[in-house]
Amino acid sequence: MANRARGRTGKGAPAEEASAMKKVKEWSNWTLKKAKVVVHYGFIPMVIIIGMNSDPKPQLYQLLTPV
């Protein structure tokens, strides 16, 4: 009977690991979706801010014109 008790405690571990892996997958998926939105809407403003802080100090219209 001692073997039965050991077997029962071992069976719960894979289910717990699967649940933990599912939580990690959901969390990473949620994080990547949020990061995609942040990068999508934040890239151009970041480039403008970096350009405004560069050495020659261009005007805003000079940064936005294609020439």
Side-chain angles (χ1 to χ4, degrees):
M1 287 204 180
N3 288 339
R4 278 183 144 179
R6 281 189 224 151
R8 286 184 183 169
T9 58
K11 286 186 179 180
E16 291 174 6
E17 289 177 13
S19 177
M21 289 300 292
K22 186 176 179 182
K23 293 289 184 186
V24 169
K25 185 176 179 181
E26 289 174 2
W27 182 82
S28 62
N29 193 17
W30 180 84
T31 305
L32 289 174
K33 283 182 179 180
K34 298 298 178 185
K36 181 180 175 183
V37 172
V38 168
V39 169
H40 181 81
Y41 289 108
F43 183 74
I44 300 235
M46 181 188 69
V47 169
I48 292 173
I49 289 170
I50 290 172
M52 292 292 287
N53 292 328
S54 64
D55 193 26
K57 299 285 184 195
Q59 297 295 323
L60 182 60
Y61 74 89
Q62 292 173 327
L63 287 174
L64 298 177
T65 56
V67 179

